[in-house]
Amino acid sequence: MKLLTAAHCLDQYDAPPSSLKEMVKQHVLRIYPNINYAISQDNNHGTSEAIGLYIGAAWLIQNGETSPKFKKFKRIGRQVLEERILKLIQVDGTFAQKSMTYHRVAVDTISFALHNMALLNEPAFNSPILERLSKLGEWQYKLTFGKEGDAPNFGSNDGAMIENLHNNSYRDFRPSTQLFFVALKQHRVYDDLSISEPVFGDLVHKQCSTQ
């Protein structure tokens, strides 16, 4: 995921060097035979590795990969991701790990998936999945409070923060929430530009509205 984010920032996403394609390929080839272990954890490993498999394979195909097995990897990665979303995100938006920071990990990895699905012209998720994702974001939004964008520090907290495309503090959950709703619904939930760094670039070209 970070390789492809960096490639996008460096304008190598659509014209990658062979070394980058090979590195992403090796990641995909490593994820696929171990995906069942990730699923068995019933936590962010399942969603994260499914996204890596799905988006990694889709990106390789768009950039000239012709081996049929990568079409298989893409299909299975998306299937696992959709199944994990419905399994690990409850109808009220609660994530399975019962941790504020790991909830943010789920939000941020889904933001990555949604953004890259748009870049790769992948079909949108169906309505039940979109509804579950909306609840995931709403849950984080509702638990964020104060001028610093903090949230209750409950559950495991080992410093996890997968998407740090901003200069705000580790405890500020607003940039994560902002990015998520721009990627999911093309609108901003905060009108403060100081927390909108992650949405600068091609996402804001969609002329996102403010809630």
Side-chain angles (χ1 to χ4, degrees), residues 130-150:
L130 291 174
E131 176 62 24
R132 198 67 60 92
L133 293 180
S134 183
K135 292 296 184 182
L136 179 80
E138 290 171 12
W139 191 94
Q140 181 166 291
Y141 176 74
K142 290 176 180 177
L143 265 71
T144 302
F145 59 86
K147 295 181 179 180
E148 303 302 321
D150 205 348

Side-chain angles (χ1 to χ4, degrees), residues 68-100:
K69 64 185 175 184
F70 285 90
K71 291 183 179 179
K72 173 184 175 182
F73 296 160
K74 173 183 158 180
R75 174 177 53 80
I76 291 175
R78 175 150 178 159
Q79 286 176 349
V80 172
L81 175 58
E82 292 180 347
E83 187 274 334
R84 291 290 85 191
I85 287 170
L86 294 176
K87 172 73 181 294
L88 300 178
I89 302 171
Q90 302 304 302
V91 293
D92 66 353
T94 307
F95 187 60
Q97 285 183 266
K98 307 298 191 296
S99 159
M100 194 69 220

Side-chain angles (χ1 to χ4, degrees), residues 19-35:
S19 56
L20 177 58
K21 289 195 288 185
E22 182 62 27
M23 183 171 283
V24 174
K25 182 184 292 188
Q26 291 303 317
H27 276 73
V28 171
L29 291 171
R30 176 69 174 82
I31 294 170
Y32 174 69
N34 297 283
I35 193 67

Side-chain angles (χ1 to χ4, degrees), residues 17-70:
S18 58
S19 56
L20 177 58
K21 289 195 288 185
E22 182 62 27
M23 183 171 283
V24 174
K25 182 184 292 188
Q26 291 303 317
H27 276 73
V28 171
L29 291 171
R30 176 69 174 82
I31 294 170
Y32 174 69
N34 297 283
I35 193 67
N36 286 334
Y37 175 78
I39 293 170
S40 72
Q41 303 306 297
D42 277 342
N43 61 19
N44 68 288
H45 283 272
T47 49
S48 299
E49 295 189 38
I51 291 168
L53 185 63
Y54 169 37
I55 298 299
W59 180 82
L60 286 166
I61 292 168
Q62 177 162 297
N63 283 285
E65 178 58 56
T66 58
S67 173
K69 64 185 175 184
F70 285 90

